[in-house]
Amino acid sequence: MIDTTTALELVLRHGAYNTEFFEVDLKDALDYVVAKDVVSRIDMPPFRQSAMDGYALHVYDDFTYTVVGEVQAGDKNDPTLRKGEAVRIFTGAPVPTSANTVVMQERVTVEGNKIIIEEPPKVNLNIRPKAEQIRAGGIALNKGTTIKGVHIGFLASLGLTEITVFKKPSVAIVVTGNELVAPGTRLSYGEIYESNGAMLTAVLKELGYKNTSAITIRDDYDTTKNVLSDTLGKHDVVIVTGGVSVGDYDFVGKAFNAIGVQEIFYKVRQKPGKPLFFGKKEGTSIFGLPGNPAAALSCFYIYVYPLLKKYEGAKHMNLPTIFLPLLSDYTVRGTQAQFLKARIEGAGVRILGGQSSAMVQAFGDANALVCLPVNSMEIKRGQNVKTLLLPTK
Ligand code: AMP
Ligand code: MG
């Protein structure tokens, strides 16, 4: 059985990726990955901007200036200031070429058309120099960046309307289990509601992957084989849940084998998610996740999410990792690495209750997974633990 680090390495080494890109409207660019460095066509700011409401002037050896005009944000005038003259100016307005400082209005006393300054102003105060943020020709966004709202704002400020992004993967979710029925119907004895399909579809959507499909199938070898065979050719990533253990009715592994899926690994020394399967066939990456919903979700975040990021050319693929002190003692037994639903609070991390693989409720409060290495025993409060940050929380 391989360890978690090796498993993640293998996912990133063998996982499919694509190089196809296209242009997208900036307003639709959220969550796509930048395919070509985005270059600014303008200086930002495009002109010397006042950073304050006050008075623009050219400093000289007196404290009194005559106010000869006004420049508002958006004004196009560039008044020439002579010695001892100032203009009223507002935040965002172009600073006259002949001025070399802006004095905050709080620092002056107004007397008629004159202002008196308390102390000699420094040159270049309260002026945002032209191109202070970025120059025309400078890189605004690097290839490999996952576009977030802030990036859209920045690119809009540079006047850009389109951006070149990588194609996103299409993802199929195949849920297995005879016991599963759709929410909305009555439960008979022995049945449970199917939830992995809805959950993974929604989590994928949260992360920007909207090209998904989900299907529920029964624990039957032929059905499993036929559905998987049909699904593989149509999608870039296939996520199967359930049926990957060694029970008599776990047909997923046999079906993968029969349809020519190349196994990269099966079973990882971890809890939850020991029976995790990863394989590939042609351009498709295939995961067999455990059926238990919390285990499936942990494995999704730890292994599937990095693969999706790799597929679309993202620079940052893994969940960000930090070491944080535990907020209370925690005892573990077992020889597997543990991924525990946890919440970062203040400067520490708290391991939540309800850690069973079947219990997904605690995941709702979690913003992180604490990762304890193989053979951990008694972890004391204050001890630093590896903490993986969950996205979008
Ligand atoms: P399996 O991995 O197929 O052995 O399933 C492990 C456990 O997860 C069983 O208790 C299943 O009933 C449950 N389970 C499997 N698939 C789902 C699903 N899609 N939604 C909710 N529970 C599931
Ligand atoms: Mg099952």
Side-chain angles (χ1 to χ4, degrees), residues 170-177 180 194-197 199-201 204 213-221 223-232 235-245 249-257 259 261 266 273 275-280 284-293 295-300 303-304 307-308:
S170 87
V171 185
I173 302 157
V174 179
V175 164
T176 71
L180 306 174
E194 196 291 294
S195 61
N196 284 344
M199 176 175 68
L200 292 174
T201 304
L204 282 161
S213 69
I215 180 175
T216 304
I217 59 171
R218 296 186 63 78
D219 293 315
D220 166 87
Y221 175 65
T223 314
T224 308
K225 194 175 73 174
N226 294 338
V227 167
L228 287 180
S229 162
D230 184 50
T231 308
L232 286 193
H235 296 274
D236 306 307
V237 179
V238 174
I239 304 170
V240 183
T241 79
V244 280
S245 302
Y249 298 97
D250 291 328
F251 294 116
V252 172
K254 287 176 214 131
F256 282 153
N257 199 16
I259 60 177
V261 172
Y266 174 48
L276 179 69
F277 174 96
F278 177 64
K280 62 180 180 181
T284 304
S285 297
I286 301 132
F287 286 94
L289 304 188
N292 273 313
L297 190 55
S298 290
C299 290
F300 173 86
Y303 301 102
V304 184
L307 173 107
L308 296 169

Side-chain angles (χ1 to χ4, degrees), residues 343-366:
R343 184 154 186 92
I344 296 168
E345 288 171 354
V349 61
R350 186 162 61 86
I351 292 173
L352 300 168
Q355 288 296 336
S356 151
S357 300
M359 293 189 195
V360 93
Q361 192 175 18
F363 239 124
D365 291 330

Side-chain angles (χ1 to χ4, degrees), residues 319-354:
L319 298 175
T321 302
I322 48 174
F323 282 81
L324 286 178
L326 259 194
L327 291 174
S328 50
D329 295 353
Y330 194 80
T331 306
V332 278
R333 267 171 287 121
T335 52
Q336 298 134 306
Q338 312 268 324
F339 290 104
L340 301 161
K341 293 160 258 186
R343 184 154 186 92
I344 296 168
E345 288 171 354
V349 61
R350 186 162 61 86
I351 292 173
L352 300 168

